[in-house]
Amino acid sequence: MSHIVKNKLIDDAALWSNLKAGDEKSFSLLFEKYYGDLISYGNSLSPYSEKVQDCVQDVFADIWLYRNSLQEYVTVKAYLLSSVRKRIARLFERDHIFRKTTSTEKLEFLFDFSIENDLVEDELTAERVLYLNKLLNELPARQKEALYLRYHQGLNVEQIAEMLDVNYQSANNLLYRGLLSLRKEWKGSIPLILLLSTNVL
């Protein structure tokens, strides 16, 4: 394969194409690039961190094993996140945590938002940011997950809809309602979207 594969800045489409062609370096780069995000997301869906790690590793193992039958064009990050979500849902069904279902709708989003104070310049705004954290974590689980996928993982509405197994309008409504609830309370000097998109850990 081309020496360009060694460059970690190579785009996902090229890595995916090289992976499908059997290039192990491209596979390794994708693993390194997204492993942390997938573990973080998996931990937001399950309190069992070791099982989450197993699920993420299984997703990558399947990708390599069935690389010849993978779709030609995918948004890699969305594909991986969705695969982890489905894998965890199947794990829950196998372990009888849920009754006879593999529906991802049954997954409870457990992630706790924590917006840091790096952008905060005054005590009043710092207090508002703490309050915003509280508001975020009190949102309904589906709204919170939609916001996480949009602003923390950078997915678009269509990708969020596919991941949550809802139509486009429903995904858009989840985002709208979540943001509406936050905007009603947010009076800080820093734009809300800036905090969500750059400072949510």
Side-chain angles (χ1 to χ4, degrees), residues 141-201:
R142 297 281 273 182
Q143 290 180 21
K144 190 162 70 163
E145 185 172 7
L147 289 173
Y148 171 89
L149 293 171
R150 180 70 184 94
Y151 295 104
H152 187 64
Q153 297 294 353
L155 273 57
N156 61 36
V157 178
E158 186 174 355
Q159 292 163 346
I160 293 170
E162 183 176 350
M163 283 196 62
L164 300 184
D165 197 23
V166 297
N167 61 38
Y168 181 95
Q169 188 58 50
S170 295
N172 205 41
N173 288 344
L174 287 171
L175 289 166
Y176 174 77
R177 289 169 185 160
L179 287 173
L180 186 62
S181 296
L182 298 177
R183 283 172 177 155
K184 285 180 179 178
E185 301 293 337
W186 179 244
K187 307 296 181 184
S189 58
I190 300 172
L192 177 61
I193 297 300
L194 181 61
L195 284 171
L196 287 174
S197 59
T198 64
N199 233 25
V200 175
L201 300 181

Side-chain angles (χ1 to χ4, degrees), residues 1-197:
M1 279 295 155
S2 168
H3 68 280
I4 195 173
V5 175
K6 297 178 181 178
N7 182 357
K8 289 191 177 182
L9 298 179
I10 187 172
D11 65 62
D12 286 355
L15 287 174
W16 188 257
S17 177
N18 290 341
L19 158 65
K20 279 179 57 62
D23 183 61
E24 293 184 13
K25 290 181 180 178
S26 294
F27 173 77
S28 296
L29 284 176
L30 279 178
F31 182 90
E32 292 170 6
K33 184 174 183 179
Y34 288 118
Y35 182 78
D37 283 339
L38 298 177
I39 290 293
S40 176
Y41 182 55
N43 285 335
S44 76
L45 299 171
S46 169
Y48 308 108
S49 59
E50 290 185 2
K51 290 186 177 182
V52 167
Q53 292 178 40
D54 290 342
C55 285
V56 172
Q57 291 169 6
D58 286 347
V59 164
F60 278 104
D62 282 353
I63 284 174
W64 181 253
L65 185 62
Y66 301 110
R67 60 189 180 277
N68 292 328
S69 59
L70 293 173
Q71 297 177 45
E72 194 72 34
Y73 304 104
V74 299
T75 302
V76 174
K77 188 173 188 178
Y79 178 88
L80 292 173
L81 288 168
S82 180
S83 296
V84 167
R85 197 177 205 280
K86 292 172 182 175
R87 175 76 63 168
I88 290 174
R90 289 200 297 271
L91 176 68
F92 280 15
E93 190 272 339
R94 188 193 70 193
D95 289 350
H96 306 292
I97 295 174
F98 300 123
R99 297 179 183 175
K100 297 182 180 179
T101 180
T102 56
S103 172
T104 58
E105 292 182 11
K106 300 296 184 181
L107 294 178
E108 180 75 14
F109 190 67
L110 307 172
F111 183 83
D112 282 334
F113 281 94
S114 179
I115 295 177
E116 299 297 307
N117 292 342
D118 296 350
L119 301 179
V120 175
E121 298 179 353
D122 61 85
E123 186 175 344
L124 178 61
T125 303
E127 291 177 359
R128 298 294 301 172
V129 168
L130 288 175
Y131 183 53
L132 179 59
N133 281 332
K134 179 176 180 291
L135 293 173
L136 274 164
N137 291 311
E138 289 176 348
L139 288 174
R142 297 281 273 182
Q143 290 180 21
K144 190 162 70 163
E145 185 172 7
L147 289 173
Y148 171 89
L149 293 171
R150 180 70 184 94
Y151 295 104
H152 187 64
Q153 297 294 353
L155 273 57
N156 61 36
V157 178
E158 186 174 355
Q159 292 163 346
I160 293 170
E162 183 176 350
M163 283 196 62
L164 300 184
D165 197 23
V166 297
N167 61 38
Y168 181 95
Q169 188 58 50
S170 295
N172 205 41
N173 288 344
L174 287 171
L175 289 166
Y176 174 77
R177 289 169 185 160
L179 287 173
L180 186 62
S181 296
L182 298 177
R183 283 172 177 155
K184 285 180 179 178
E185 301 293 337
W186 179 244
K187 307 296 181 184
S189 58
I190 300 172
L192 177 61
I193 297 300
L194 181 61
L195 284 171
L196 287 174
S197 59

